[in-house]
Structure formats: C-alpha cells, structure tokens
Amino acid sequence: MGRLIRASSVDRFLVDKGHEHSEFEGGDWDPGVRVAQSGRRIVHVFWDGPGEADQLAAITIELREAGYHVQPQQMRGGGRRRLEVTRP
C-alpha cells in the first residue's frame, strides 16, 4: 500500500520546477497546473490549457525522477486527462 501524500507537497514541487498554477479568469482557465487531493494516498494533477497531453507527459517525467509513482489516467466518458500520483 502506498504512503501518505499531500497535494501541497506535489504542488510545491511543481512550482519549484517552474510550473504556474491555472487560474479561472474572465470566464476561462489560464494555462497551468492544478493539483487536487484525492484521499490520503492519492493526488491528482491536471493541466488546464493547450497541449494537455504533452504537458502531462513532461510533468510525469519530472515527478517520476523525484521518486513519485505516476499513473496517467483519463476520466470516464472520454473526459479530462489527469495524473494519479502516489508515494511507493
């Protein structure tokens, strides 16, 4: 079973790597990363904006190099792509 993980730790890591947060302004999302806690052992990472697949692939490499376990996912019904991040 995976260890506890906090969205704030993953978020801080991504910001330190130069990623900016997405923000909802003027009725639309500005490009950037968004991190959400999903239980005690899972964090989801989203990319809002163009190049979603490429950005998530680059983020996957960075997170794996830092020792995180990353599983790319697509939400049900052809929904958004996201990364499921855990600590081994």
Side-chain angles (χ1 to χ4, degrees):
M1 175 158 303
R3 298 184 316 193
L4 297 178
I5 186 171
R6 300 216 186 282
S8 60
S9 297
V10 175
D11 184 66
R12 187 172 31 257
F13 171 79
L14 293 173
V15 168
D16 288 348
K17 285 293 199 173
H19 297 282
E20 295 187 17
H21 292 120
S22 61
E23 294 184 30
F24 191 75
E25 293 182 341
D28 201 6
W29 285 96
D30 288 339
V33 70
R34 193 164 33 96
V35 180
Q37 191 76 43
S38 181
R40 295 177 54 184
R41 293 179 170 84
I42 298 173
V43 169
H44 287 128
V45 176
F46 298 87
W47 177 265
D48 296 318
E52 179 183 53
D54 293 335
Q55 291 293 335
L56 289 176
I59 291 169
T60 296
I61 292 168
E62 292 173 348
L63 289 168
R64 285 180 177 161
E65 287 175 350
Y68 291 97
H69 180 266
V70 182
Q71 180 66 42
Q73 295 182 331
Q74 186 160 4
M75 296 172 74
R76 292 182 182 164
R80 300 277 317 271
R81 292 180 181 99
R82 66 183 178 190
L83 303 176
E84 180 181 277
V85 182
T86 59
R87 281 296 225 182

